């Protein structure tokens, strides 16, 4: 569970932004901790979490604006988490363009773990009301108690539940109600004042100018901004004269609603000399470039950056040749010095789908000397390139990766950024440069080469000897790893197929061994595998061959691929010329498909096999994908062992329909004549304890 500060247009990482893959899908630069991995936090394009709260069942949430509770809870988010039986607050502090937070428990189920807080709200008197559905468990509609529930009121001892009745029929009464800590009361007040329009304007202006509570002032400003024809005037006044950055941010959001496309230039000629209301509201009071922008808090710059998303290109800045949006974005981007993911994502939201123009302006803002410095030393520059989606981004990412000051530990971050860039020649060129480049830093070059090769598509290295040599160096460093298989398959490296064969024989029950044999089957390497399974003439080589071939037969069997059947059937039908273990694995694998099982059944019907293999044939054919008639033949050839009273057991399909008898099972478990099950096994805490 996580707590977020929501920036409009942001992506919060529940799925991979492009592929929609879930959190468990492997990815480059994957987070090391599973709670962080859930939200794709290392991917460019994900707004960071404010707080991780661990596993839970999040329910109701509110901002507490009362004054009855202690100071630590005032003006803070309060949240119910039913799973761990707790109601918490998350006191926040500003940190650049974002926030930090801590957790402070308000109510816990320490004395009663049936406490399941489901919602929380603030009463008109400032006390807190918590609904408790009161249940032994949570999740999946698993309700253990459908009858009981509780309500808690949280307030200082002996505080009476008392408050004046809200009257929103007058301006004065509605303004009083606008200050209520209760959300429903504030809603009634806001709705009434909005409907009053100009009638409420003088009183609202007075509240905005003089009320000591910034939240009340912000609500008054929003109402003033929504008054028909007069809204822009109040927004302009707030931007010009307001020292509080939170209220400046409110004014910017309001300006975006009032003037998303600079239409107010026409509607309000008095604003023309200050460009558009939107630009003035965004605080870009900077004169004609290259004048420096007026320093503003980063949280205000954050809102300005988000506001750029809706503003069109092609609007000149003042009388200059500069495009207003490009120039503004470059100035805002120049404020990013790294280590502030909130601000970086706000810049990206502002760039939207116009990264080419925005990044061009940003790079143009830097002098050539400063640009060289930023390329190789400045974390702010590197951040912006990592997050950008420009046609120039691949080239700039490659520069950063190949730079000697970029350590190997940081390379996965920049390589992951390639996954979010659209297919293009520039991207392919950058990946080729990374895939076949060299460096004195061997661990770094191996990592970079492998990651870049994984991202190349439709590239033929066989036509380029140096590139093929580079690919082989990468493959040597990845032997025995999943990436080795991926690259051999992708680039059709035929001289590495024997390596895949050896890997399959060595690890036939591991996923990597199974995947290796599947690659060979997909590449139709039947001749290579068939030759490996031929019994050698030399007696000295037969023992070594047998061990490898058991592994190979096991891998073929585990693959479940129909192409494996022609390789396994000759062993099954070889009249016992092969070692027992190889034959058993071949029987198992050959019966994984209907065609193979049919051939093995014919062998069984002809009794062309050693009785030693009867159990293996019976087990394999009993689960093979055969039709009803064939199953009847299997049942006749391999009847089930006798049951009670020495009568044959019915077929498995009939056994599955029967109702069991737990008492008889327990008796058999403890008193079997041949070997007691409870000598080795434990059921319901009965039997021999043989350890975990």
């Amino acid at each position: 569970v996580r707590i977020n500060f929501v920036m409009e247009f942001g992506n919060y990482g529940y799925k991979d932004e492009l592929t929609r893959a879930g959190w468990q899908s492997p990815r480059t630069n994957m987070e090391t901790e599973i709670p962080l991995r859930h939200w794709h936090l290392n991917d460019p394009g994900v707004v960071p979490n404010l707080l991780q709260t661990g596993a839970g069942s999040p329910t109701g949430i509110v901002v507490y604006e009362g004054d009855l509770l202690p100071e630590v809870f005032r003006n803070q988010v309060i949240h119910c988490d039913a799973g761990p039986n707790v109601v918490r607050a998350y006191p926040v502090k500003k940190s650049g363009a974002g926030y930090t937070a801590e957790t402070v428990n308000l109510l816990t189920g320490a004395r009663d773990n049936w406490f399941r807080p489901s919602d929380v709200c603030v009463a008109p008197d400032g006390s807190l009301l918590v609904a408790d559905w009161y249940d032994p468990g949570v999740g999946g509609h698993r309700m253990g108690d459908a009858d009981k529930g509780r309500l808690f009121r949280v307030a200082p001892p002996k505080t009476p539940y008392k408050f004046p009745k809200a009257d929103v029929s007058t301006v004065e009464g509605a303004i009083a109600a606008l200050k209520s800590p209760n959300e429903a009361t504030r809603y009634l007040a806001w709705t009434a004042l909005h409907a009053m329009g100009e009638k409420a304007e003088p009183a609202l202006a007075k509240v905005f100018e003089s009320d000591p509570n910034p939240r009340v002032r912000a609500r008054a400003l929003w109402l003033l901004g929504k008054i028909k024809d007069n809204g822009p005037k109040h927004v302009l006044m707030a931007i010009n004269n307001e020292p509080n950055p939170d209220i400046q941010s409110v004014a910017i959001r309001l300006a975006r609603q009032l003037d998303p496309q600079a239409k107010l230039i026409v509607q309000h000629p008095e604003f023309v000399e200050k460009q558009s209301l939107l630009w003035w509201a965004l605080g870009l009071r900077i004169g004609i470039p290259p004048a420096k922008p007026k320093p503003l808090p980063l949280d205000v710059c954050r809102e300005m950056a988000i506001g750029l998303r809706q503003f069109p290109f092609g609007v000149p800045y003042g009388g200059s040749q500069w495009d207003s949006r490009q120039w503004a974005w470059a100035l805002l981007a120049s404020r990013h010095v790294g280590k502030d993911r909130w601000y970086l994502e706000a810049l990206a939201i502002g760039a939207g789908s116009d990264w080419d123009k925005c990044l061009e302006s940003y790079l143009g803002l830097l002098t050539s000397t400063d640009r060289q410095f930023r390329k190789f030393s400045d974390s702010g520059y590197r951040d912006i390139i990592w997050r950008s989606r420009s046609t120039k981004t691949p080239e700039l990412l490659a520069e950063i990766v190949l730079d000697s000051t970029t350590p190997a530990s940081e390379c996965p971050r920049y390589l992951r950024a390639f996954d979010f860039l659209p297919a293009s020649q520039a991207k392919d060129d950058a990946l080729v440069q990374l895939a076949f480049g060299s460096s004195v830093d061997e661990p770094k070059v191996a990592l970079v080469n492998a990651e870049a090769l994984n991202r190349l598509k439709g590239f033929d290295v066989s036509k380029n000897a140096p590139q093929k040599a580079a690919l082989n160096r990468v493959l040597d460093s990845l032997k025995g790893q999943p990436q080795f298989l991926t690259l051999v398959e992708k680039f059709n490296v035929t001289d590495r197929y024997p390596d895949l064969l050896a890997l399959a024989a060595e690890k036939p029950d591991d996923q990597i061994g199974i995947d290796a044999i599947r690659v060979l089957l997909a590449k139709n390497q039947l001749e290579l595998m068939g030759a490996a399974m031929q019994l050698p003439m030399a007696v000295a080589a037969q023992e070594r061959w047998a061990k490898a071939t058991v592994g190979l037969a096991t891998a073929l069997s585990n693959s479940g691929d129909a192409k494996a059947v022609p390789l396994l059937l000759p062993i099954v039908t070889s009249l016992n010329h092969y070692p027992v273990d190889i034959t058993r694995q071949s029987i198992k694998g050959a019966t994984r498909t209907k065609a193979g099982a049919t051939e093995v059944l014919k062998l069984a019907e002809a009794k062309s096999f050693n009785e030693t293999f009867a159990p293996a044939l019976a087990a394999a054919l009993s689960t093979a994908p055969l039709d009803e008639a064939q199953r009847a033949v299997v049942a006749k050839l391999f009847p089930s062992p006798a049951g009670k009273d020495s009568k044959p057991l019915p077929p498995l399909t009939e056994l599955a329909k029967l109702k069991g008898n737990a008492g008889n099972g327990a008796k058999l478990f403890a008193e079997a004549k041949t070997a007691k099950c409870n000598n080795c096994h434990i059921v319901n805490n009965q039997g021999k304890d043989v350890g975990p």
Side-chain angles (χ1 to χ4, degrees):
V1 180
R2 37 83 178 264
I3 303 297
N4 288 107
F5 164 62
V6 178
M7 298 196 302
E8 290 172 270
F9 311 106
N11 165 36
Y12 294 86
Y14 186 72
K15 297 275 190 181
D16 183 292
E17 181 185 346
L18 298 185
T19 68
R20 315 312 296 158
W23 67 272
Q24 291 174 303
S25 297
R27 54 186 182 269
T28 303
N29 200 36
M30 201 170 188
E31 301 78 5
T32 54
E33 298 175 53
I34 287 179
L36 304 180
R37 197 176 294 172
H38 270 274
W39 312 116
H40 295 82
L41 292 175
N42 284 355
D43 284 355
V46 176
V47 177
N49 293 338
L50 173 65
L51 200 68
Q52 301 278 152
T53 62
S57 303
T59 49
I61 193 166
V62 74
V63 173
Y64 180 73
E65 295 191 25
D67 56 11
L68 282 185
L69 298 190
E71 183 69 32
V72 68
F73 301 113
R74 295 177 191 176
N75 299 313
Q76 303 298 341
V77 170
I78 294 178
H79 172 229
C80 301
D81 202 343
N85 325 96
V86 66
V87 179
R88 310 184 187 100
Y90 305 114
V92 298
K93 294 179 181 177
K94 287 188 177 185
S95 177
Y99 304 89
T100 59
E102 59 179 327
T103 298
V104 178
N105 288 350
L106 181 62
L107 293 176
T108 65
R111 290 179 296 173
D112 185 353
N113 60 14
W114 281 34
F115 174 56
R116 304 292 180 186
S118 60
D119 205 357
V120 58
C121 66
V122 185
D125 71 334
S127 58
L128 203 68
L129 298 180
V130 178
D132 173 18
W133 93 58
Y134 195 72
D135 203 77
V138 295
H141 306 286
R142 184 175 47 125
M143 190 174 291
D145 185 335
D147 300 319
K148 300 182 187 71
R150 303 185 290 193
L151 282 174
F152 290 95
R153 175 176 179 255
V154 184
K158 300 180 182 179
T159 304
Y161 188 59
K162 184 179 179 182
F163 51 87
K165 183 178 180 180
D167 177 11
V168 297
S169 62
T170 66
V171 173
E172 293 75 16
I175 285 178
L178 192 66
K179 301 178 182 183
S180 171
N182 174 256
E183 194 169 6
T185 304
R186 293 201 304 268
Y187 171 78
L188 294 174
W190 198 97
T191 305
L193 290 165
H194 183 52
M196 293 175 192
E198 291 184 13
K199 179 182 175 183
E201 188 173 4
L204 286 169
K206 185 176 179 181
V207 170
F208 175 69
E209 290 168 9
S210 59
D211 197 279
N213 187 334
R215 281 176 168 74
V216 173
R217 294 185 61 223
R219 291 193 181 102
L221 174 60
W222 202 271
L223 278 160
L224 288 166
K226 296 292 184 178
I227 295 173
K228 187 177 180 181
D229 298 327
N230 289 346
K233 173 181 66 177
H234 294 287
V235 174
L236 179 63
M237 191 176 299
I239 289 294
N240 282 339
N241 304 318
E242 180 54 50
N244 186 319
D246 288 329
I247 294 180
Q248 277 186 303
S249 296
V250 169
I252 291 167
R253 294 172 188 165
L254 184 53
R256 282 170 37 213
Q257 286 195 11
L258 297 177
D259 190 25
Q261 298 258 324
K263 292 178 181 176
L264 287 171
I265 297 175
V266 178
Q267 295 173 5
H268 297 273
E270 65 270 24
F271 298 143
V272 170
E273 68 179 52
K274 297 168 182 173
Q275 289 74 60
S276 75
L277 172 64
L278 177 62
W279 282 112
W280 189 246
L282 290 181
L284 298 177
R285 296 161 288 175
I286 55 177
I288 294 176
K292 295 289 185 182
K294 179 181 178 181
L296 290 168
L298 272 185
D299 51 347
V300 177
C301 291
R302 175 197 71 214
E303 295 301 324
M304 292 161 57
I306 293 171
L308 292 177
R309 184 185 186 91
Q310 295 172 285
F311 195 78
F313 285 105
V315 179
Y317 188 87
S320 74
Q321 78 280 14
W322 294 81
D323 180 280
S324 292
R325 180 177 175 187
Q326 288 178 249
W327 175 244
W329 194 91
L331 288 170
L332 290 169
S334 69
R335 292 287 305 275
H336 180 61
V337 295
K339 300 181 181 179
D340 193 330
R341 185 70 176 275
W342 308 90
Y343 191 53
L344 180 64
E345 291 301 330
L347 288 169
I349 289 169
S353 59
D354 300 303
W355 270 104
D356 279 358
K357 292 179 180 178
C358 289
L359 193 62
E360 178 189 6
S361 297
Y362 171 67
L363 297 176
L365 185 65
L366 309 174
T367 64
S368 58
T369 304
D370 191 35
R371 182 177 175 183
Q372 284 296 108
F373 165 77
R374 287 176 177 272
K375 269 187 181 180
F376 305 127
S377 305
D378 187 82
S379 59
Y381 169 85
R382 291 183 177 221
D383 265 4
I384 288 172
I385 300 306
W386 171 75
R387 180 58 186 86
S388 65
R389 307 279 171 89
S390 161
T391 53
K392 198 174 178 62
T393 298
E395 171 195 340
L396 299 174
L397 280 172
E399 277 186 1
I400 292 172
V401 171
L402 294 173
D403 183 65
S404 60
T405 64
T406 304
S409 60
E410 290 183 12
C411 288
R413 178 179 189 246
Y414 298 108
L415 291 160
R416 173 62 171 157
F418 277 96
D419 298 339
F420 296 88
L421 302 177
S424 68
Q425 188 60 51
K427 180 178 177 180
D428 286 347
D429 290 346
L431 288 172
V432 167
Q433 183 185 11
L434 294 173
F436 303 110
S438 59
S439 167
V440 293
D441 188 344
E442 288 302 322
K444 175 178 172 179
V445 77
L447 165 71
V448 171
N449 289 167
E451 289 282 348
L453 283 166
N454 272 334
R455 288 164 172 79
L456 279 173
K457 296 177 182 176
F459 194 78
D460 186 2
V461 297
S462 64
K463 298 177 181 178
N464 187 306
Q467 291 178 357
K468 186 175 181 180
L471 175 58
N472 276 312
R473 285 197 303 272
V474 173
L475 289 171
D476 286 339
S477 70
L478 294 173
K479 232 174 186 178
Q481 300 179 41
Q483 298 98 310
F484 181 85
L485 273 63
T486 302
L487 294 177
V488 169
E489 180 180 22
K490 177 182 283 191
F491 293 103
N492 296 310
V493 190
T494 56
D495 53 358
R496 294 288 183 151
Y497 289 165
D499 293 334
L500 297 186
L501 197 67
L503 188 58
E506 183 184 350
K507 299 182 177 181
D509 292 312
D510 294 349
Q511 192 61 49
I512 192 166
I514 297 169
D515 289 342
I517 209 72
R518 284 174 176 165
V519 170
L520 291 172
L521 289 168
K523 299 291 184 182
N524 293 312
Q525 294 299 304
L526 304 184
E527 186 176 339
L528 173 68
M529 291 181 281
M533 300 183 77
Q534 291 296 317
L535 185 66
M537 298 299 293
V539 175
Q542 287 182 8
E543 184 178 346
R544 186 171 64 253
W545 165 87
K547 183 178 179 181
T549 308
V550 169
L552 188 54
T554 304
L556 285 165
S557 174
N558 290 337
S559 74
D561 193 318
K563 290 181 179 179
V565 174
L567 295 168
L568 298 171
L569 272 178
I571 297 174
V572 179
T573 59
S574 65
L575 299 178
N576 315 311
H577 290 163
Y578 281 77
V580 171
D581 288 345
I582 297 174
T583 304
R584 283 178 179 156
Q585 285 296 339
S586 299
I587 290 170
K588 178 182 174 183
T591 55
R592 295 284 292 270
T593 66
K594 184 171 183 179
T598 299
E599 292 301 316
V600 174
L601 182 56
K602 289 177 183 176
L603 176 71
E605 286 185 279
K607 298 192 180 299
S608 301
F609 61 89
N610 187 311
E611 283 297 320
T612 305
F613 298 112
L617 284 164
L621 289 170
S622 67
T623 57
L626 297 170
D627 59 36
E628 206 62 39
Q630 290 171 317
R631 287 188 180 282
V633 174
V634 173
K636 185 177 179 181
L637 288 171
F638 305 103
S640 300
K644 190 178 180 183
D645 302 325
S646 299
K647 293 179 181 179
L649 287 172
L652 285 175
T653 51
E654 296 299 321
L655 278 172
K657 297 176 183 177
L658 297 177
K659 187 176 181 181
N661 185 306
N664 288 345
K667 188 175 180 181
L668 181 66
F669 179 75
E671 300 177 10
K673 292 180 181 178
T674 52
K676 293 181 180 180
C677 302
N678 65 2
N679 283 346
C680 296
H681 299 280
I682 303 171
V683 176
N684 293 335
N685 295 320
Q686 295 181 19
K688 184 177 180 180
D689 185 359
V690 293

